Amino acid sequence: MSSAPRFKQIKQFLEQNISSGEWSVGTRIPTEAELCEQFSVSRMTVNKAVRDLVNDGWLERTPRLGTFVCQRKAESPLMDIRNIADEIRSRGQTYHSEIINLSRITASEDVAMRLGIMLGSEVFWSEIVHYADSLPVQVECRWVSPKHAPNYEEQDFSQITPNQYLVETCPLSTIEHTVEAILPPRAIANLLQIDTAQPCLLLHRRTWSNDQLVSTALLYHPGNRYKLSATAHL
């Protein structure tokens, strides 16, 4: 028998049933009373194991109905830039993207301010939806300076992500991130397959290469399927 504390044994039992697919998303797990009887432990011990898995994103409690296996949230580092395709594949999911727009436009006042260029300058504009398996996890709206990435418009972004292309073309030296919680515009909500009343995480990103501002992007994530994390070493 394992020498781990009883609550950890219960937690491992629950995790194994979820990870193996025995309990799929939406499955109602045994009640706390049933787990108490199965493991011969107190309600407090079971509650701690279940609470830890709720906090870790494995389970979701629904008042008066029970505790259910939920779709775990995807996660991106806030203080770094990773290729979203690599992130998704590292979690064992299948990545694909849908290109909504890829064109050359005239910079509006807002875009000119974001990129630090003259109003009316030509910029590249792309709008891409990134999927993990069949679920959209990010809508990427990006403006790119033709001066630094002149071939951006010619890329096949179904085969390579904008991030991968820009990192290879203009090695990044500085990034700027700002995050806010918003209710998505209808067009974004439709692309993310969510309701406009469902909160989104919006990440504002600007990237520099050798002190030159190369691109600015708005990255929309469904709040119930995504989280951003940061680690600081003090």
Side-chain angles (χ1 to χ4, degrees), residues 75-77 82-92 226:
E75 182 175 356
S76 288
R82 291 179 59 192
N83 183 0
I84 189 168
D86 292 341
E87 281 185 24
I88 290 169
R89 291 175 181 133
S90 73
R91 295 192 291 268
Y226 218 86

Side-chain angles (χ1 to χ4, degrees), residues 130-146:
H130 301 281
Y131 290 81
D133 291 334
S134 60
L135 286 176
V137 293
Q138 183 188 94
V139 174
E140 172 188 345
C141 302
R142 186 183 293 273
W143 298 266
V144 177
S145 167

Side-chain angles (χ1 to χ4, degrees), residues 34 170 190:
E34 290 169 338
C170 326
N190 289 342

